[in-house]
């Protein structure tokens, strides 16, 4: 006989664990099933940037709601999320100046502490930066980065304290549907029943959806990251998305700087393909670019590099909502930017499941069926795709 739960969550990344935390806060007793270990997927390799600057209003709103958790983590969730305030700079080329101003205005209306600044202001904030090519940037003094693995573990711990059950090394191999309703899941060793099943399986969510007869346009995005030792001459620096040079970077503990490129990701690798090593010339290209922004980095040295993989959608925005049999929900396709949204996504998905709609923030735009209707999510003052080589 299969054991009954209020809900089953497939995947223990930041999304699955955040959903579990929020469901248990409202009295539900979910089961979280993870084929490997907590944070095995994108979560475990996330760069962890925590900022509110997006060109799509709902993403800024979700990031701002999530920020209330990150900056008050112990009281709100318990445990640690590793949030480190560094200040955040979003540098855009001059041709995007009007979009950047409009997006900062949109974010200010949401209550986000942010301002438009000049290249000279950037120099004052980050003395080691070469700023001759910067005419405009957005600055968020409160933002920074956090640790996605700690975040997922804290969510999971708190969910378990409130009655959730967790099984690792327990992959879902099939879904059970009866009379158009989801009734449970199958794993290699057991079956579990629930009237609600949430697919939070990251880059693997496409194959999990197919178990319910639901097809989603989910590709994979494989992303390289490098850590370098920062020379003393560079000193501290903020967290930065530098769209002028096509990279992002942030400080890390131990005097390191994490760097990744916007034009380096590999699209369409099999979700289970061994991530292996970073692309052949990635480290050289990253170091070349960081030295263009911070010339003193020439004295730095290579520390390490790693690779991670997330699910990618055609508009590089998430898929969130009900799909297929009644009781089946998709929470996936975070396209390399989901970590900082995870607290608010968990909150909104718990409302969707328990109240029939998210009340805190309207997430209907992430409707899984939008692609069938030929609708792509796009910011009102958009900068184009984030991951530039993934245009299809
Ligand atoms: C290198 C990299 C850098 C990033 N940097 C940032 C950043 O700076 N800021 C930001 O906001 N976001 C960033 N992201 C994106 C962010 O990390 C992801 O969007 C987020 O972690 C996705 O979480 P998830 O829970 O949806 O997926 P995942 O963390 O991938 O979790 C899915 C889980 O489902 C499990 N699973 C799969 N199939 C099954 C099954 N059949 N049964 C049971 N379990 C299953 C997997 O093992 C996995 O643990 C980055 C991502 C990567 C890869």
């Amino acid at each position: 006989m299969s054991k009954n739960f209020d809900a089953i969550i497939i995947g223990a990344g930041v999304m699955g664990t955040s959903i579990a935390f929020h469901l248990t806060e409202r009295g539900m007793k979910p089961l979280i099933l993870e084929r490997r270990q907590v944070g095995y997927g994108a979560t475990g390799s996330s760069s962890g940037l925590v900022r509110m600057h997006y060109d799509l209003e709902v993403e800024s709103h979700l990031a701002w709601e999530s920020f209330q958790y990150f900056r008050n983590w112990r009281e709100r969730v318990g445990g640690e999320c590793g949030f480190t305030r560094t200040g955040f700079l979003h540098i855009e080329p001059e041709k995007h100046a009007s979009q950047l101003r409009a997006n900062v205005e949109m974010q200010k209306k949401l209550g986000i502490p942010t301002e438009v600044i000049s290249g000279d202001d950037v120099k004052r904030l980050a003395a080691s930066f070469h700023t001759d090519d910067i005419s405009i940037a957005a600055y968020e003094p409160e933002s920074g980065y956090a640790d996605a693995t700690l975040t997922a573990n804290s969510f999971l711990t708190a969910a378990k304290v409130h009655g959730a059950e967790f099984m690792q090394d327990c992959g879902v191999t099939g879904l059970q549907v009866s009379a158009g309703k989801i009734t449970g899941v199958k794993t290699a060793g057991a079956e579990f029943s629930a009237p609600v099943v949430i697919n939070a399986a990251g880059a693997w969510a496409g194959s999990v959806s197919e178990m319910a007869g639901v097809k989603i346009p989910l590709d994979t995005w494989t992303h390289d990251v490098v850590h370098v030792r920062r020379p003393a001459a560079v000193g501290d620096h903020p967290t930065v998305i530098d769209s002028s040079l096509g990279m992002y970077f942030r400080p890390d503990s131990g005097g390191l700087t994490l760097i990744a490129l916007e034009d380096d990701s590999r699209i369409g690798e099999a979700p289970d393909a061994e991530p292996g090593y970073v692309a052949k010339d990635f480290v050289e290209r990253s170091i070349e670019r960081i030295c263009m922004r911070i010339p003193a980095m020439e004295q730095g040295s290579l520390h390490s590099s790693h690779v991670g993989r997330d699910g990618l959608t055609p508009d590089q925005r998430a898929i969130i909502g009900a799909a297929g049999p009644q009781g089946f929900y998709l929470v996936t396709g975070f396209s390399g930017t989901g970590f900082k949204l995870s607290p608010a996504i968990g909150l909104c998905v718990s409302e969707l499941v328990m109240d029939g709609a998210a009340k805190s923030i309207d997430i209907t735009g992430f409707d899984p069926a939008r692609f069938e209707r030929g609708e792509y999510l796009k910011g009102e003052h958009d900068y184009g795709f984030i991951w530039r080589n993934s245009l299809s």
Side-chain angles (χ1 to χ4, degrees):
M1 216 178 73
S2 64
K3 196 170 170 193
N4 285 308
F5 292 88
D6 294 335
I8 294 169
I9 299 162
I10 304 171
V14 276
M15 296 304 165
T17 55
S18 174
I19 296 164
F21 168 76
H22 287 92
L23 289 177
T24 56
E25 272 204 317
R26 291 188 55 191
M28 282 181 91
K29 306 268 185 248
L31 168 68
I32 307 135
L33 293 173
E34 165 57 53
R35 70 202 281 258
R36 299 277 174 93
Q37 305 88 32
V38 186
Y40 170 80
T43 296
S45 51
S46 184
S47 302
L49 270 65
V50 172
R51 44 94 187 179
M52 278 68 82
H53 194 95
Y54 275 93
D55 61 14
L56 186 69
E57 183 170 344
V58 65
E59 290 181 315
S60 286
H61 199 171
L62 288 162
W64 180 227
E65 174 69 28
S66 297
F67 189 69
Q68 312 316 315
Y69 291 63
F70 287 121
R71 69 173 169 192
N72 194 26
W73 193 264
R74 279 189 207 163
E75 290 71 28
R76 181 67 188 86
V77 181
E80 301 292 336
C81 71
F83 176 67
T84 307
R85 178 182 166 186
T86 61
F88 167 73
L89 276 170
H90 182 107
I91 301 167
E92 279 290 329
E94 169 67 30
K95 65 178 181 181
H96 286 159
S98 64
Q99 289 100 311
L100 184 129
R101 283 198 189 88
N103 289 326
V104 167
E105 276 316 301
M106 170 269 282
Q107 287 144 16
K108 280 184 171 169
K109 284 188 191 137
L110 290 168
I112 295 167
T114 180
E115 58 185 315
V116 174
I117 63 170
S118 66
D120 288 346
D121 296 327
V122 173
K123 191 77 187 173
R124 277 189 283 276
L125 288 165
S128 61
F129 284 19
H130 170 80
T131 54
D132 289 359
D133 60 322
I134 302 176
S135 63
I136 194 161
Y139 181 56
E140 296 175 6
E142 307 284 327
S143 301
Y145 67 91
D147 182 322
T149 307
L150 275 179
T151 299
N153 276 292
S154 300
F155 272 140
L156 182 62
T157 303
K160 283 161 74 178
V161 167
H162 291 111
E165 281 193 39
F166 172 59
M167 290 183 199
Q168 66 176 22
D169 296 313
C170 190
V172 169
T173 54
L175 299 178
Q176 294 169 325
V177 178
S178 172
K181 294 180 182 170
I182 201 101
T183 56
V185 307
K186 292 180 199 166
T187 69
E191 296 183 0
F192 303 97
S193 305
V196 168
V197 173
I198 300 164
N199 176 0
W204 298 266
S207 55
V208 171
S209 294
E210 280 176 22
M211 295 174 193
V214 175
K215 268 200 160 309
I216 51 172
L218 193 72
D219 219 322
T220 62
W221 168 85
T222 306
H223 186 61
D224 298 335
V225 177
V226 60
H227 276 90
V228 296
R229 292 183 196 90
R230 206 163 54 238
V234 173
D236 292 337
H237 64 75
T239 294
V240 180
I241 290 183
D242 189 339
S243 290
S244 288
L245 295 179
M247 69 175 160
Y248 67 83
F249 57 97
R250 67 160 174 86
D252 208 344
S253 54
L256 303 180
T257 290
L258 174 158
I259 313 162
L261 303 181
E262 289 178 345
D263 57 356
D264 181 70
S265 312
R266 297 179 290 290
I267 311 302
E269 292 184 352
D272 267 329
E274 181 54 49
Y277 301 104
V278 296
K280 202 165 149 267
D281 60 349
F282 164 73
V283 170
E284 291 76 4
R285 294 201 305 128
S286 302
I287 288 172
E288 201 176 290
R289 268 188 234 181
I290 197 76
C291 290
M292 288 166 78
R293 184 56 70 217
I294 311 180
M297 277 288 196
E298 278 187 6
Q299 304 306 316
S301 59
L302 178 64
H303 178 271
S304 57
S305 61
H306 69 264
V307 185
R309 187 174 291 139
D310 202 358
L312 183 85
T313 70
D315 59 9
Q316 303 191 4
R317 258 98 195 197
I319 294 175
I320 310 171
Q326 192 181 325
F328 186 57
Y329 296 88
L330 303 172
V331 186
T332 185
F334 287 93
S335 303
T337 76
F339 164 64
K340 71 186 78 57
L341 313 179
S342 59
I345 299 284
L347 172 68
C348 290
V349 171
S350 70
E351 293 168 349
L352 176 64
V353 168
M354 299 185 73
D355 308 323
K359 292 175 177 164
S360 299
I361 296 174
D362 181 0
I363 54 165
T364 50
F366 297 109
D367 176 13
R370 71 182 183 275
F371 303 109
E372 283 163 29
R373 298 192 298 267
E375 291 169 13
Y376 280 28
L377 278 174
K378 192 168 178 284
E380 197 181 338
H381 303 281
D382 83 302
Y383 301 123
F385 287 102
I386 319 167
W387 312 116
R388 310 241 172 94
N389 60 347
S390 53
L391 303 179
S392 51

